[in-house]
Amino acid sequence: MKRLFVHAICLLLALSVQAEEWSPAEWPVLKHYDQNHLYHIALPLGGIGTGTVSLGGRGELRDWEIMNVPAKQYSTVTPGNNAPFFAIYTKEAGKQAQTTLLSGPLYDHEYLHYEGRPVNHHGFPRFSEASFDAAYPFGQVRLADKALPVRVTVKGFNPLIPGDADNSGLPVAVLSYEVTNLTDAPLEVAVCGSIRNFIGKDGSKYTFNWKGDYVPLGAKKNKNTYKDADGLKGIYFHSEGVQQDDSAYGTMALTTQSSGKVSYRTSSVPDDWNNAILNFWDDFSADGMLTECDVQADDDPMASLAVMKTIAPGQTATYSFFLTWSFPNRKAWSESVVGNYYCTQYPDAWQAACSIVPRIPELEKSTLLFVNSFLSSSLPDVIKEAALFNLATLRSQTVFRLPSGHLMGWEGVMDRYGSCMGSCTHVWNYEMATSFLFGDLARTMRDVEFNYATRDDGLMNFRAALPLSEAAKGNAAAADGQMGCIMKFYRDWQLSGDNQFLADNWEQIKKVMSYAWVKGGWDGNQDGVMEGSQHNTMDVNYFGPNPQMGFWYLGALRAAEEMAAAMKDRTFEKKCRQLFAQGSEWMDANLFNGEYYEHKITDPATFEFINMDDESRIPPYQLGKGCLVDQLVGQYMAHICGLGYLADPTNIRTTMENVMKYNYVDDFSRHFNNMRSYVMGHESGLLMASWPKGRLKVPFPYFAEVMTGFEYCAAVEMMYEGMEDEALTCIKAIRDRHDGARRNPFSEAECGHHYARSMASWAAVLASSGFHYSAVSGCMQITDRPGRYFWSNGYAWGVCEVSDSNVSIEVLKGCLNLRKLTVGQRVINTGKLKLGDGRRTWSHKL
């Protein structure tokens, strides 16, 4: 009986939480964008592996990418007034009511169209002033208009909590409209969201009407149902006609917890001559309340959900809405459905809303703790911006999770399809955000690489096929990808402290390392130098020793040596140590030209070195004497892994000085580029390659380009070599280019939007704070520069404060085992210190 009573009390408490209307807390701002820098802003709202819809810079919802495919610029309908939108109704006593689109003004270049419909919602009244504030994942659009009695802040986010992949992978877009009454009298205000049921219409199937307009197809017998249950009121979008195995088949829900007057429509009149939107506008504008239609018209009926409140003079009221979804049939680069992890947790959008929405206050609190702690770091704002804003890539359509939980990724995404399949190893080698924020997810990627994509002979396919049972069925090895994966495994073992993880994978690691020594392969003569044909991230094969592959190889040898020592595999440990020593000495003696490391080209057939003066013998697409932007990428990774220098430190520093000298261009207006332009005009950036000693006639294809992931890699390596000013110059150039007006601040493109390599930006946080951690040894390092520093190891995170006389560590989430702390050069033995459960802070006098 007592148990039943307790259960009843718990149930009542749960219902009271569900019924309580959520209002956002005060959100931080890292970057402000004025009205002239909003056009390209699109902040993705969605979780890891769930797809997203983006909050535009002017308050619009754009890029509806919740149906398993990229959909840039896709608004679910033909350009016009029927795209999803939110509107506001305001009524002052004694005055005529006004209805306004909750979006900022159009730009001059958006006015021209052959039929007078240049953009979505072109015929709606809009706010005349707009700006955007961001501290990802929080976005805030501020709207104002002198003709209106209100000021509105549109707030959008999705929970993002390091170390908690499930709660950072929720299929929800949280939208709140904070409306301030600017008058001296009570004001009637209603906010309404309208969405056509576009299930089945992901943009992949389309036709053109008689005017030549693009018309997406797919919706068949779609239905909208109003529901009032579990403290939520809203519209449930489903379909009775779309095939249940279609990638665009699923469910959606638009809900609110509001205590205000809620009204709704599940349909409208048929949309002949755009009468549906007229019918809605007249209904909502009459009194701010909606009238239900008796019959659902069209295959994609438009549903609307409105909340009415009376706002006191000078006061602010919040109108919160929650968009949830579930679309289970992901194919990605497979011909068959591979599915979605999030759909195993939330197979239905209404159920997702019922589960997620009551937890939003706590999830917001945890997300704010992360973002505010990160922003409190004593790091330059441009580093915070680069690191934080590129986390949007983890929640874009670049990334998804299989039902097994494995994290998979494209390289990036094009407007309508993924870019370059297979969790490409040599692209994902560069990024650091996943491992240092979501260690469990990073380890699933290592599992794919070593246990699914690797053949019995040690060849690791650098693009893993799907389903995973097909991942190893290929013959595509990349020298940089394969060597980098060995270093990534070492990093993730160190961060996790899971020795069983290493033991379970050791034989596979040995196979992958030993593949470098196959006769006629990368280092067939086993001298520590890669002479063979080396496929790499430039999408070509380099022939002969070169710094890019050479330093990846040296780093892999060092990582394998350390792992062999831990496994007490003395024979393998000795071999890796000897090859490393030989290779490092050879690189300095033969590839360092006094300024940087260059490429010695060999004949593909004979492996003999080619005289560089005899260009007729040189294969196309080589580096040669070029100064490569990421020639020290292996050293970049070695510093992050704590593996030390891979070559003479003086040569390493000199190389980075000359990368800055030769590759940095502060004005591209006179630069010729025959390939893709990610930098143009008066912008600045680091060239992929420069040619101070003469360019090959046909160099590797991307030599004249600029790509942010490579720039971050070089900038971070500069930091490790003490070149902080130069590094900040490079990072600032990147972020200046992504200013909202020219490019999206939440998507750094390379071969596609949201390119995975851009998450190398997180490494700038590591280098600038001097952070390194090994859970295997229990050792942590931090800079001795006085300040406050955010730290994370993929499983726990917090802040470390350093002064001239004291150091303190606070764990804000997870647990941290610590035996030794190094502050600058000072070593502190902490004993068997465990922070996180019960005790969360520790301090020590210096």
Side-chain angles (χ1 to χ4, degrees):
M1 192 71 181
K2 181 179 179 182
R3 183 178 296 175
L4 289 174
F5 176 75
V6 170
H7 178 74
I9 292 297
C10 291
L11 181 61
L12 287 172
L13 287 172
L15 289 173
S16 67
V17 170
Q18 288 178 332
E20 183 180 350
E21 184 176 1
W22 170 76
S23 179
E26 183 177 350
W27 288 357
V29 176
L30 174 60
K31 186 78 172 183
H32 172 76
Y33 300 88
D34 64 28
Q35 191 151 309
N36 295 322
H37 294 82
L38 306 178
Y39 182 71
H40 282 296
I41 290 178
L43 187 151
L45 301 177
I48 298 173
T50 70
T52 63
V53 58
S54 291
L55 176 64
R58 289 172 285 184
E60 75 278 18
L61 296 178
R62 54 186 290 183
D63 301 348
W64 287 81
E65 302 178 282
I66 63 177
M67 295 187 183
N68 298 309
V69 293
K72 295 302 177 191
Q73 311 301 322
Y74 182 52
S75 61
T76 76
V77 293
T78 306
N81 289 328
N82 277 319
F85 66 93
F86 276 79
I88 186 170
Y89 164 94
T90 57
K91 179 66 171 70
E92 299 179 72
K95 295 185 179 180
Q96 186 174 354
Q98 298 187 76
T99 302
T100 310
L101 180 71
L102 279 160
S103 183
L106 299 177
Y107 291 110
D108 289 349
H109 65 267
E110 295 178 292
Y111 279 66
L112 177 63
H113 188 268
Y114 58 85
E115 204 183 36
R117 342 176 268 163
V119 294
N120 291 327
H121 314 127
H122 50 81
F124 294 6
R126 294 166 170 261
F127 283 77
S128 62
E129 300 174 28
S131 63
F132 191 92
D133 292 328
Y136 188 80
F138 299 107
Q140 303 180 73
V141 183
R142 305 191 189 278
L143 302 173
D145 194 308
K146 293 179 181 178
L148 292 171
V150 295
R151 181 176 62 245
V152 180
T153 299
V154 184
K155 304 178 77 168
F157 96 110
N158 178 289
L160 178 62
I161 308 160
D164 190 346
D166 281 358
N167 282 324
S168 301
L170 300 175
V172 63
V174 180
L175 292 165
S176 281
Y177 297 83
E178 293 181 348
V179 184
T180 300
N181 179 359
L182 302 177
T183 74
D184 56 4
L187 187 68
E188 287 187 352
V189 176
V191 174
C192 176
S194 296
I195 302 176
R196 281 198 170 272
N197 187 332
F198 59 95
I199 292 170
K201 296 169 66 172
D202 60 9
S204 63
K205 298 177 284 290
Y206 58 90
T207 187
F208 294 93
N209 64 17
W210 62 276
K211 302 172 186 176
D213 295 325
Y214 166 88
V215 180
L217 300 174
K220 295 178 181 178
K221 297 182 182 179
N222 289 357
K223 303 293 183 181
N224 304 325
T225 302
Y226 177 75
K227 291 191 174 188
D228 184 346
D230 301 317
L232 292 175
K233 300 176 182 179
I235 310 295
Y236 177 59
F237 301 83
H238 52 108
S239 177
E240 296 178 357
V242 175
Q243 293 296 313
Q244 294 190 17
D245 60 355
D246 193 299
S247 293
Y249 173 80
T251 57
M252 304 185 301
L254 177 64
T255 58
T256 183
Q257 294 174 305
S258 181
S259 57
K261 298 177 183 178
V262 176
S263 60
Y264 65 91
R265 292 160 58 107
T266 57
S267 187
S268 62
V269 299
D271 198 28
D272 302 329
W273 293 97
N274 294 117
N275 268 305
I277 203 69
L278 173 64
N279 178 248
F280 159 80
W281 199 265
D282 286 348
D283 183 16
F284 185 55
S285 299
D287 57 4
M289 301 290 289
L290 299 172
T291 304
E292 171 66 312
C293 290
D294 295 332
V295 179
Q296 291 202 2
D298 307 320
D299 272 337
D300 58 349
M302 186 175 74
S304 302
L305 182 67
V307 176
M308 167 72 81
K309 296 182 181 182
T310 299
I311 307 177
Q315 297 300 302
T316 299
T318 300
Y319 302 71
S320 294
F321 296 84
F322 309 90
L323 178 70
T324 52
W325 59 88
S326 182
F327 290 89
N329 300 324
R330 181 180 293 275
K331 290 185 176 180
W333 50 83
S334 169
E335 294 182 2
S336 58
V337 171
V338 295
N340 281 314
Y341 174 79
Y342 86 90
C343 293
T344 66
Q345 299 178 305
Y346 306 103
D348 176 82
W350 186 269
Q351 178 264 331
C354 293
S355 174
I356 296 169
V357 171
R359 297 190 290 124
I360 288 297
E362 186 60 34
L363 295 171
E364 179 202 30
K365 181 179 178 182
S366 296
T367 304
L368 282 169
L369 180 63
F370 160 55
V371 174
N372 284 325
S373 299
F374 181 75
L375 296 184
S376 72
S377 294
S378 302
L379 302 179
D381 281 352
V382 72
I383 288 181
K384 298 176 189 176
E385 180 190 335
L388 196 62
F389 287 19
N390 275 309
L391 295 184
T393 296
L394 264 181
R395 323 235 284 178
S396 70
Q397 280 288 354
T398 296
V399 173
F400 59 97
R401 294 182 71 184
L402 301 177
S404 60
H406 287 92
L407 187 75
M408 305 296 292
W410 299 92
E411 291 184 20
V413 292
M414 303 304 191
D415 284 357
R416 290 287 187 276
Y417 51 87
S419 170
C420 303
M421 54 77 79
S423 302
C424 178
T425 56
H426 55 51
V427 168
W428 282 83
N429 274 352
Y430 290 71
E431 72 93 9
M432 296 296 149
T434 308
S435 289
F436 282 90
L437 295 178
F438 298 100
D440 288 338
L441 293 184
R443 288 165 67 183
T444 70
M445 298 192 83
R446 305 296 82 79
D447 187 41
V448 170
E449 292 156 358
F450 285 87
N451 297 310
Y452 289 93
T454 296
R455 300 188 325 193
D456 290 341
D457 63 356
L459 182 152
M460 178 188 288
N461 283 284
F462 74 95
R463 298 191 188 279
L466 288 174
L468 286 179
S469 59
E470 306 292 315
K473 294 181 179 179
N475 192 37
D480 52 354
Q482 191 149 332
M483 296 301 101
C485 284
I486 294 169
M487 297 188 77
K488 288 187 295 188
F489 197 101
Y490 175 82
R491 175 197 62 196
D492 294 346
W493 164 56
Q494 289 287 314
L495 289 174
S496 69
D498 187 348
N499 290 322
Q500 192 61 47
F501 176 57
L502 174 61
D504 290 344
N505 289 278
W506 176 237
E507 291 304 317
Q508 289 298 99
I509 294 168
K510 288 177 65 176
K511 285 182 184 178
V512 169
M513 186 75 252
S514 299
Y515 185 77
W517 308 324
V518 171
K519 184 177 180 180
W522 299 325
D523 184 17
N525 62 0
Q526 300 184 41
D527 63 353
V529 180
M530 283 190 168
E531 297 95 353
S533 174
Q534 304 149 54
H535 188 71
N536 62 81
T537 196
M538 302 306 175
D539 296 322
V540 296
N541 288 28
Y542 285 163
F543 301 102
N546 64 87
Q548 188 181 39
M549 249 49 59
F551 280 107
W552 273 126
Y553 183 33
L554 293 177
L557 288 168
R558 279 287 296 117
E561 176 192 347
E562 294 293 334
M563 290 187 283
M567 292 301 300
K568 296 181 170 52
D569 190 334
R570 302 307 179 196
T571 301
F572 203 78
E573 177 189 4
K574 180 180 179 181
K575 181 170 186 176
C576 291
R577 182 167 58 250
Q578 289 178 338
L579 289 180
F580 168 78
Q582 290 175 289
S584 178
E585 182 179 359
W586 193 94
M587 293 271 286
D588 277 329
N590 294 275
L591 295 192
F592 187 71
N593 64 18
E595 292 187 296
Y596 56 86
Y597 293 87
E598 59 183 43
H599 174 197
K600 301 288 188 183
I601 303 173
T602 58
D603 187 309
T606 65
F607 283 36
E608 295 177 354
F609 288 107
I610 296 173
N611 185 337
M612 294 297 289
D613 294 330
D614 185 6
E615 190 157 344
S616 64
R617 292 187 60 204
I618 295 176
Y621 312 129
Q622 302 299 293
L623 172 63
K625 294 181 179 296
C627 180
L628 189 64
V629 65
D630 68 327
Q631 58 187 280
L632 296 184
V633 58
Q635 183 63 70
Y636 152 91
M637 188 62 150
H639 281 316
I640 291 168
C641 291
L643 290 169
Y645 277 96
L646 305 179
D648 185 329
T650 301
N651 291 349
I652 297 293
R653 163 77 188 219
T654 300
T655 295
M656 293 317 301
E657 290 174 347
N658 285 295
V659 167
M660 188 67 185
K661 174 182 177 181
Y662 292 128
N663 292 42
Y664 186 77
V665 178
D666 61 7
D667 187 330
F668 272 77
S669 59
R670 301 300 303 165
H671 174 70
F672 170 78
N673 178 7
N674 60 308
M675 287 286 288
R676 305 164 300 185
S677 290
Y678 299 111
V679 179
M680 293 185 288
H682 297 297
E683 296 177 325
S684 306
L686 273 176
L687 281 170
M688 293 292 288
S690 60
W691 309 91
K693 302 179 186 302
R695 199 200 80 197
L696 294 171
K697 186 175 182 180
V698 185
F700 72 93
Y702 308 133
F703 76 95
E705 295 184 0
V706 172
M707 292 182 269
T708 70
F710 294 98
E711 291 179 282
Y712 285 127
C713 171
V716 169
E717 178 55 27
M718 289 177 195
M719 287 185 184
Y720 280 118
E721 304 312 321
M723 300 167 57
E724 185 171 339
D725 289 345
E726 293 88 342
L728 291 177
T729 295
C730 295
I731 296 173
K732 184 177 185 301
I734 298 171
R735 294 311 301 174
D736 283 349
R737 303 195 305 257
H738 295 81
D739 64 351
R742 290 170 289 183
R743 298 176 185 84
N744 183 7
F746 308 100
S747 173
E748 293 185 6
E750 192 174 312
C751 185
H753 307 286
H754 304 292
Y755 203 77
R757 193 162 12 220
S758 68
M759 291 187 289
S761 56
W762 190 264
V765 176
L766 308 177
S768 189
S769 62
F771 176 75
H772 180 265
Y773 177 73
S774 167
V776 175
S777 64
C779 296
M780 178 173 167
Q781 294 174 234
I782 201 77
T783 181
D784 59 359
R785 184 185 303 175
R788 180 179 172 91
Y789 301 97
F790 177 86
W791 60 267
S792 61
N793 66 2
Y795 305 90
W797 51 272
V799 292
C800 182
E801 293 201 53
V802 179
S803 69
D804 291 333
S805 59
N806 192 75
V807 61
S808 66
I809 297 175
E810 182 178 10
V811 174
L812 296 171
K813 182 176 176 58
C815 293
L816 181 72
N817 292 312
L818 195 63
R819 292 176 177 269
K820 184 170 67 176
L821 175 67
T822 301
V823 183
Q825 299 299 317
R826 186 173 301 186
V827 178
I828 303 165
N829 291 313
T830 64
K832 294 183 178 180
L833 179 65
K834 183 175 183 179
L835 298 175
D837 290 332
R839 181 182 181 186
R840 292 194 168 272
T841 60
W842 172 87
S843 63
H844 184 83
K845 289 185 178 180
L846 295 175

